[in-house]
């Protein structure tokens, strides 16, 4: 490649340009990660859910809580960021791939199941939790199997495949009632309008662990599907994915992972699976 001479002014401009774009690693500005995380005031944007108690919840005072939040915070610290440098961004399920592609966030920890279809669009670190589709029922319920739902009222969120899976595979005579959010299903279950709520057991445990529901509900303990939660990164960003995997391994080895499970799901007596090995996707 031929080089041409540049003036001192042009050289200075070139240095400034390189300095301004260095954080992107590929010459492009990365709005989700504005620096190295060395404690100098830089920020990292992380996608989470805002409405899932026990996993990703924005509290009334503006703080955040949940297992995904704890995992994301631990990972960010291992990447070199202090807690006050983390900016959590609400990332709804339907927009996760687009948020990563646009660079809105550096990574996403939001009950993000690793699937072949999603792996075509994003890269994943993890998995960091193996969840299963389950049922949440009242504490005194006699529902112990999915087949017990025949003739009963089953609630799930509009657009979810969980309830349809139950009807197709286990209880074709179940009466499906759809709500716009899990909180509405919980209210319906609490009042007796429905007999069960279905989705991932981690989500169900998060709701059941809330103080206002303490002792009212229980998980049936079924494993109707395997959901391998991963941390999504922009397609091709293997460097970040590898760093996150290293952080997740450390989180497991120093017992911080176990503590996060107990802190967020303990009151629901959630019988979680052991921490999965990195790259081990359970079919």
């Amino acid at each position: 490649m031929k080089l041409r001479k540049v003036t001192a002014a042009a050289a200075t401009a070139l240095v400034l340009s390189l300095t301004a774009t260095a954080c992107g690693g590929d010459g492009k500005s990365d709005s989700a990660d504005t620096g190295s995380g060395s404690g100098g005031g830089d920020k990292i944007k992380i996608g989470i859910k805002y409405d899932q108690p026990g996993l990703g919840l924005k509290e009334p005072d503006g703080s955040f809580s949940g297992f995904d939040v704890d995992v994301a915070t631990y990972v960010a610290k291992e990447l070199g960021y202090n807690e006050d440098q983390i900016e959590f961004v609400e990332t709804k399920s339907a927009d996760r791939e687009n948020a990563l592609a646009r660079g809105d966030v550096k990574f996403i920890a939001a009950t993000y199941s690793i699937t072949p279809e999603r792996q075509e669009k994003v890269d994943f670190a993890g998995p960091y939790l193996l969840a299963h589709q389950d049922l949440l029922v009242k504490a005194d319920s006699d529902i112990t199997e999915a087949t017990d739902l025949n003739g009963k009222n089953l609630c799930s969120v509009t657009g979810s495949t969980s309830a349809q899976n139950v009807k197709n595979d286990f209880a074709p005579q179940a009466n499906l009632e759809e709500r716009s959010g899990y909180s509405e299903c919980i209210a319906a279950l609490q009042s007796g309008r429905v007999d069960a709520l279905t989705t991932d057991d981690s989500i169900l445990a998060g709701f059941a662990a809330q103080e206002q529901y303490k002792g009212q509900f229980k998980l049936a303990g079924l494993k109707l599907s395997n959901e391998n939660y991963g941390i999504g990164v922009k397609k091709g960003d293997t460097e970040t994915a590898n760093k996150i995997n290293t952080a997740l391994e450390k989180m497991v080895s120093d017992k911080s992972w176990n503590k996060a499970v107990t802190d967020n799901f303990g009151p629901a007596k959630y019988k979680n699976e052991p921490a999965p090995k990195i790259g081990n996707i359970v079919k």
Side-chain angles (χ1 to χ4, degrees):
M1 182 173 66
K2 293 183 179 179
L3 300 176
R4 61 185 177 86
K5 293 182 179 181
V6 296
T7 64
T12 299
L14 177 61
V15 170
L16 290 174
S17 174
L18 291 173
T19 301
T21 59
C23 66
D26 58 359
K28 295 179 182 179
S29 177
D30 186 351
S31 61
D33 182 12
T34 58
S36 63
S38 59
D42 301 323
K43 295 280 188 180
I44 182 170
K45 293 182 179 180
I46 302 172
I48 62 167
K49 295 289 182 66
Y50 274 20
D51 58 354
Q52 289 183 341
L55 286 153
L57 182 68
K58 186 174 183 178
E59 303 284 0
D61 64 1
S63 63
F64 298 92
S65 66
F67 181 72
D68 283 346
V69 173
D70 289 347
V71 170
T73 300
Y74 188 100
V75 167
K77 287 180 178 178
E78 288 300 305
L79 294 180
Y81 294 88
N82 298 322
E83 213 163 322
D84 61 0
Q85 293 174 289
I86 299 171
E87 181 179 343
F88 288 117
V89 178
E90 183 176 22
T91 313
K92 296 183 182 295
S93 296
D95 195 44
R96 287 181 294 205
E97 288 82 21
N98 291 332
L100 288 169
R102 292 191 303 261
D104 295 347
V105 293
K106 187 67 173 177
F107 65 83
I108 293 175
T111 58
Y112 204 178
S113 295
I114 301 171
T115 66
E117 295 78 16
R118 288 170 179 164
Q119 286 176 307
E120 293 179 1
K121 300 176 182 178
V122 304
D123 286 338
F124 283 98
Y128 64 92
L129 184 72
L130 175 59
H132 306 283
Q133 184 183 343
D134 200 356
L135 303 176
L136 188 70
V137 296
K138 281 193 171 183
D140 61 354
S141 173
D142 58 0
I143 294 175
T144 58
E145 300 290 341
T147 52
D148 294 337
L149 289 169
N150 280 308
K152 306 272 176 128
N153 297 321
L154 175 65
C155 192
S156 193
V157 171
T158 302
S160 168
T161 59
S162 299
Q164 201 57 53
N165 289 342
V166 171
K167 280 184 65 69
N168 291 343
D169 300 333
F170 303 101
Q173 270 106 35
N175 304 311
L176 176 58
E177 296 193 18
E178 293 184 315
R179 301 285 194 276
S180 61
Y182 292 115
S183 295
E184 294 180 30
C185 278
I186 288 283
L189 180 61
Q190 191 176 33
S191 69
R193 293 197 306 274
V194 300
D195 301 290
L197 159 61
T198 187
T199 187
D200 296 356
D201 54 6
S202 58
I203 298 173
L204 298 175
F207 275 100
Q210 299 305 292
E211 186 63 33
Q212 66 266 36
Y213 303 130
K214 200 169 184 180
Q216 296 185 44
F217 307 118
K218 66 181 180 181
L219 277 77
L222 309 180
K223 296 181 179 180
L224 304 179
S225 71
N226 295 318
E227 305 297 334
N228 300 271
Y229 289 174
I231 294 182
V233 301
K234 188 174 184 178
K235 190 69 176 176
D237 191 0
T238 54
E239 181 181 359
T240 298
N242 289 337
K243 288 179 179 179
I244 292 174
N245 280 333
T246 299
L248 292 174
E249 289 174 336
K250 181 178 178 182
M251 187 177 187
V252 172
S253 66
D254 69 12
K255 308 300 183 185
S256 296
W257 187 91
N258 287 331
K259 183 178 185 304
V261 169
T262 301
D263 288 348
N264 292 292
F265 304 126
K269 298 180 181 179
Y270 176 47
K271 296 178 181 178
N272 63 282
E273 298 278 5
K277 294 186 181 300
I278 299 300
N280 182 25
I281 309 300
V282 180
K283 303 296 185 182

